[in-house]
Every structure is written in C-alpha cells, then in structure tokens.
C-alpha cells in the first residue's frame, strides 16, 4: 500500500529542474563569434572532467555543447544566465555564467526561443599542463554572435529566405540603422549579412566599388555612403523592399506605407534594376 | 554528476558539436 502511494506521487515530487528542457541549436554563427563565460574558476572540476585531460597546449577535448539557462529566481541577480555544458546523454553541468551585461543584452533572444533554451558550441581554453608549476585554469567561450545574429539564425531555420529574386548573386551593402526586428531583437549589420547571405547575396560592410545594391535603413540623405552610391549609379533600395522581395517577413519599428515599396526615387531605372557602371567610367 | 537540468540527447548528438570533441579541431560554421 505504501509503495503504491509513493509511485503515484513520484512524478509530482520530482523536481522541475530534473525534467528535460527543449533546446534551439545554434550551429551557423560566425566562426570567430565569441560570447564570454565568466565565473569558471568555481567550476574547474567540471571543466577538468569534460576536458578529457590536459596537454601542454590545454584540454584534450576542447569542443562541447552548452546551453544558456536563465535563472530568474537567482537570489543575487534576477538577470543571471547560467552556462551549462552537456554530455552526450543530455545531462548538464554548470561551468559559469554570462557576464551581467551580456545576460541583459541576451534577454530578448532568450525570450524569443522560450520555453526552449539556446544550445551552442563551447570551447575550453587554457588548462595547459607544462609541469607542476605551470598549469593553466580552464576558461570557456561560446561560439555565439550578437543577439541579433542568434535571432537571424533562429529565423532562418524557421523560414529560409528566398534565393529566387532579382538581387540573387549580387553584392549588397546595408547603410544606416535597421528598422527591422526579429521578436524584440533589432537587426544589426551581422544579422543583416547573415540573412542576405542566405538569400544568395554577397555582402560588403561598406559601399565600395564591388557593391551593386545599396540597401538603406534609417539613413540621412546627406550620408556619405548614400552620396557615393548615387554618384556611382549603384542601385539604392529601401530595406523594407529588400526583405519583402527575399521573403523575410520581419517586424518593423516604424509603420511602412505600402506605396513606399518601390525602387525609391534614387533608382536610375524606375521599375527595373540599374546595373552599376564600372568605377571611374 | 549533473545537478539537474536535462536536455534532449538527440539535440547534442545531431548538432555538429560532437565532431569538435576531436582534439584541437577549430570551431567552424556549419550548415544546419
């Protein structure tokens, strides 16, 4: 009888923390993108175990999966986000936290993927063993870009942009702050480059000689780059039209007049795409 | 030993992080 009661209540008394939490995997972040983990000094034993041992350069096994877990009930910091390394069975161990500013900056992306949590590549740094007097502490870094880049990848997995559009294969540059968001995350240059790249465009950071299309967000008419684009007869297109044509349906910070979805007054061939002329011609 | 949170083991094995457990392999961007 006693056993029956215990079994019936087993699930009810099981701590919520032991239940499986779904994840969103981030696998397409820039290779050089880094999000620091802090407080690893308190979790050296865990890092030592996952390292698979040390050599003179550091951990034997440096690359693992890790998740970001918000801790809204953390007694010291309600914005705290812990970083937990994952073994192949899905069990996780804490290896540190995000720095406070990073945790606050990443809150919108954590909200966006909620109730899932983000999973990303974590790299173990340090941890070298060059003799009894020269052993390095383990540190950890996540391969994650800005919150906007994470949002862009999240969006891409749900709805890849079209590559069948008039700018496919062309080189574009984005000018001015973006008016577009994914959830509450405003696009930045890297996020725009991520989505435009998946839409089949090459992306340059500035309007240079190789740029064929200049995509404008919030930009002043006197902008140097915009003047350069006009002077060199580079096609100028508003950002809302660009995203519309590559099939990205993003939130906009300002209401867009549907009649504005044309090529804009700066197009040298209204209704069509003006190919840029060779530099200096 | 893990102190609580569990994630789907499939997520760990299907994402390309596993290949990085080889020694000294640099992280790289990979398709989904």
């Amino acid at each position: 009888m006693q056993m029956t009661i215990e079994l019936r209540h087993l699930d009810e008394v099981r701590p919520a923390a032991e239940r499986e939490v779904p994840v969103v995997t981030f696998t397409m972040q820039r290779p050089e993108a880094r999000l620091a983990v802090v407080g690893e000094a308190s979790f050296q034993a865990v890092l030592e175990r996952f390292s698979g041992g040390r050599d003179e350069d550091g951990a034997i096994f440096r690359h693992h999966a890790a998740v970001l877990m918000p801790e809204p009930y953390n007694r010291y910091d309600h914005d705290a986000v812990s970083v937990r390394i994952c073994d192949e069975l899905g069990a996780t161990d804490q290896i540190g936290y995000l720095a406070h500013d990073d945790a606050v900056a990443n809150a919108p992306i954590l909200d966006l993927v909620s109730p899932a949590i983000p999973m990303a590549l974590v790299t173990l740094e340090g941890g070298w063993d060059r003799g009894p007097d020269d052993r390095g502490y383990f540190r950890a870094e996540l391969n994650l870009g800005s919150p906007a880049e994470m949002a862009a990848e999240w969006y891409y997995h749900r709805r890849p942009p079209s590559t069948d559009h008039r700018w496919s294969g062309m080189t574009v540059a984005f000018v001015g702050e973006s008016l577009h968001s994914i959830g509450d995350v405003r696009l930045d240059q890297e996020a725009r480059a991520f989505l435009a790249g998946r839409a089949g465009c090459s992306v340059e950071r500035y309007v240079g000689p190789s740029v064929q299309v200049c995509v404008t967000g919030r930009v002043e008419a006197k902008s140097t780059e915009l003047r350069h684009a006009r002077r060199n007869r580079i096609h100028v297109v508003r950002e809302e039209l660009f995203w519309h044509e590559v099939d990205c349906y993003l939130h906009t910070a300002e209401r867009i007049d549907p009649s504005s979805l044309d090529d804009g007054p700066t197009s040298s061939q209204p209704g069509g795409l003006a190919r840029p002329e060779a530099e200096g011609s | 030993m893990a102190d609580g949170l569990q994630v789907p083991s499939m997520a760990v094995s299907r994402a390309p992080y596993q290949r990085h457990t080889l020694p000294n392999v640099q992280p790289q961007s990979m398709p989904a």
Side-chain angles (χ1 to χ4, degrees), chain A residues 78-154:
Chain A
H78 296 289
D79 296 316
V81 176
S82 64
V83 181
R84 304 182 67 92
I85 196 166
C86 310
D87 69 17
E88 63 273 17
L89 298 177
T92 72
D93 273 302
Q94 186 170 4
I95 56 170
Y97 286 96
L98 295 188
H100 178 79
D101 289 351
D102 287 335
V104 170
N106 279 279
I109 186 72
L110 293 167
D111 283 344
L112 188 66
V113 304
S114 176
I117 55 175
M119 176 181 279
L121 173 68
V122 68
T123 303
L124 307 190
E125 306 281 0
W128 62 84
D129 184 355
R130 297 166 190 158
D133 299 328
D134 190 6
R135 284 165 62 88
Y137 269 101
F138 284 110
R139 292 175 289 105
E141 289 183 328
L142 293 157
N143 175 218
L144 287 172
S146 67
E149 287 179 274
M150 294 174 68
E153 182 178 342
W154 176 85

Side-chain angles (χ1 to χ4, degrees), chain A residues 161-162 164-167 172 174 178-180 192 199 201 213-217 235-252 254-267 269-274:
Chain A
S162 167
D164 181 21
H165 54 83
R166 55 179 160 158
W167 302 303
V172 306
F174 291 89
S178 180
L179 301 172
H180 292 75
R192 290 155 134 182
C201 298
V213 183
C214 176
V215 183
T216 61
H235 187 64
V236 177
V237 59
R238 294 175 190 166
E239 192 175 356
E240 55 262 43
L241 175 61
F242 181 83
W243 295 130
H244 178 77
E245 294 212 12
V246 304
D247 253 359
C248 281
Y249 296 95
L250 310 176
H251 298 159
T252 50
E254 296 177 2
R255 201 173 75 82
I256 293 174
D257 177 0
S259 66
S260 72
L261 296 180
D262 55 26
D263 284 45
T266 55
S267 171
Q269 288 183 11
L273 175 57

Side-chain angles (χ1 to χ4, degrees), chain A residues 17-18 20-21 23 26-29 60-63 65 84 88-93 119-121 157, chain B residues 1-9 11-12 15-18 20-21 23-25 27-30 32:
Chain A
E18 288 185 4
E20 193 168 272
V21 176
V23 300
F26 290 87
T27 59
M28 301 174 72
Q29 300 288 289
I60 303 295
F61 300 127
R62 298 187 184 182
H63 305 291
R84 304 182 67 92
E88 63 273 17
L89 298 177
T92 72
D93 273 302
M119 176 181 279
L121 173 68
H157 289 309
Chain B
M1 195 58 204
D3 57 7
L5 183 77
Q6 179 80 23
V7 297
S9 57
V12 182
Y17 313 127
Q18 286 282 320
H20 295 309
T21 56
N24 302 326
V25 176
Q28 54 187 307
S29 185
M30 276 159 289

Side-chain angles (χ1 to χ4, degrees), chain A residues 43-79:
Chain A
F43 303 99
Q44 291 294 304
V46 175
L47 292 166
E48 184 89 49
R49 181 157 55 82
F50 275 82
S51 73
R54 305 165 176 244
D55 63 21
E56 61 184 17
D57 293 326
I60 303 295
F61 300 127
R62 298 187 184 182
H63 305 291
H64 302 271
V67 290
L68 301 181
M69 186 65 190
E71 293 188 352
Y73 301 111
N74 185 296
R75 60 192 291 192
Y76 302 108
D77 181 2
H78 296 289
D79 296 316

